[in-house]
Structure formats: structure tokens, C-alpha cells
Amino acid sequence: QVQLVESGGGLVQAGGSLKLSCTISGSFYSRDPMGWYRRTPGNQRELVAMFSSAGRKDFNGFAKGRFNISRDKNMVFLQLNSLKPEDTGVYYCWASNSRGIDSWGQGTQVTVSS
């Protein structure tokens, strides 16, 4: 089993930045796909950014040029820059193992005021 714990959410003004952190524990490998999803009000959960099993960074279109994903040992980070009110939502850390089983964190709230 894999456990993921997010931190770093909060309230920020439009144009500001936040850095989200996710600590991963349990049975995982550095090559396992991992990354961040979000759920904004009224919408389904969507991919923000991820590391593929090959180590490639993939970004959803809205995240390109504003957000960055990075990792260090058992932690994965999401740097949020130039935040917009429409980025408000709950951000989830995610990892998938070799059998395709997904694990999720509890989520961290990001609120961007206009």
C-alpha cells in the first residue's frame, strides 16, 4: 500500500504563488507514475501535472508555463505560479503502481482570491 500526504495549500491573491508538497510512504518505486490532480468547483477531478514511468513531465494545458512539478526521494512537489481565481480547488497527490492501482492523498485546498 502507498500513503500520500499533501501540504502547502492555502489562500493567495491572484498572481501569487504556492508550493504544494506530497510525502509518499509505503510500497512505491521511483519509476511509478505520480503527480497531481485537482478538483475545481463544479468540475470533475483533472490531471494537473505528472511524472510518467519514464520520468517525463506531463502537464495539462492550463498548467503549462505556470506550474512545475518536481520530486526528491519520496516527495513530489507542485509549484503553482501566476495563480488565477479559476485555479481554486482541492489538489490531490496521486501515484499509480505497476499493477495500475491508484493511490490518492486526502487533498489540500488552494484558494485564489481576485
Side-chain angles (χ1 to χ4, degrees):
Q1 287 188 343
V2 177
Q3 295 80 42
L4 304 100
V5 179
E6 304 98 334
S7 62
L11 173 64
V12 64
Q13 289 187 332
S17 299
L18 283 173
K19 187 173 184 177
L20 309 183
S21 301
C22 175
T23 303
I24 305 175
S25 59
S27 181
F28 78 99
Y29 300 93
S30 60
R31 64 180 179 271
D32 288 341
M34 60 185 69
W36 294 87
Y37 279 70
R38 74 180 188 183
R39 177 175 283 139
T40 55
N43 295 310
Q44 294 184 334
R45 188 156 49 187
E46 61 185 346
L47 175 70
V48 179
M50 65 172 284
F51 284 101
S52 70
S53 57
R56 185 185 67 247
K57 293 183 183 181
D58 290 327
F59 295 89
N60 202 324
F62 63 81
K64 291 180 180 178
R66 297 193 298 130
F67 301 170
N68 191 37
I69 188 171
S70 60
R71 61 185 176 187
D72 182 18
K73 297 183 177 69
N74 68 324
M75 297 190 71
V76 60
F77 306 96
L78 185 67
Q79 179 68 45
L80 308 172
N81 298 320
S82 302
L83 282 162
K84 305 174 182 179
E86 52 263 43
D87 294 317
T88 293
V90 181
Y91 286 68
Y92 299 90
C93 186
W94 157 84
S96 182
N97 67 13
S98 60
R99 293 175 292 171
I101 297 175
D102 293 333
S103 297
W104 298 91
Q106 81 285 354
T108 185
Q109 176 71 40
V110 171
T111 303
V112 185
S113 64
S114 57

